[in-house]
Amino acid sequence: MPIAGFTSSAIIDQVTGVLAALPAESRKQEVNRTKAVYAFEVTNAQGAKHYFVVDLKQAGKVTDGASEADAAKGQP
């Protein structure tokens, strides 16, 4: 999910990879332990914003948030 112009998307890619590599049962256990959604707003050098949502409350995955409102809801 590298996003052009957003160097921080490489870190989000690593989180995505870790979650994807977990066996389904392990991912479910992490979701049950964490029970949280993390929304990240990142700004690049040109001032453009992008949103990422790390869902460890239900899905156990990382998605792009299309807008600040999506990130606030924890849903892409």
Side-chain angles (χ1 to χ4, degrees), residues 2-76:
I3 307 297
F6 291 88
T7 55
S8 58
S9 67
I11 296 168
I12 300 297
D13 265 354
Q14 290 178 355
V15 173
T16 301
V18 168
L19 289 173
L22 288 174
E25 187 59 34
S26 295
R27 189 171 35 255
K28 183 178 177 181
Q29 289 173 355
E30 286 303 319
V31 166
N32 287 336
R33 260 187 281 207
T34 307
K35 297 181 183 177
V37 175
Y38 299 93
F40 297 93
E41 174 189 282
V42 294
T43 306
N44 68 10
Q46 292 74 35
K49 293 182 180 183
H50 195 84
Y51 304 89
F52 298 97
V53 178
V54 180
D55 179 354
L56 293 174
K57 187 173 185 177
Q58 294 179 4
K61 66 180 184 176
V62 179
T63 56
D64 280 344
S67 69
E68 184 176 4
D70 289 340
K73 290 187 290 187
Q75 300 172 6

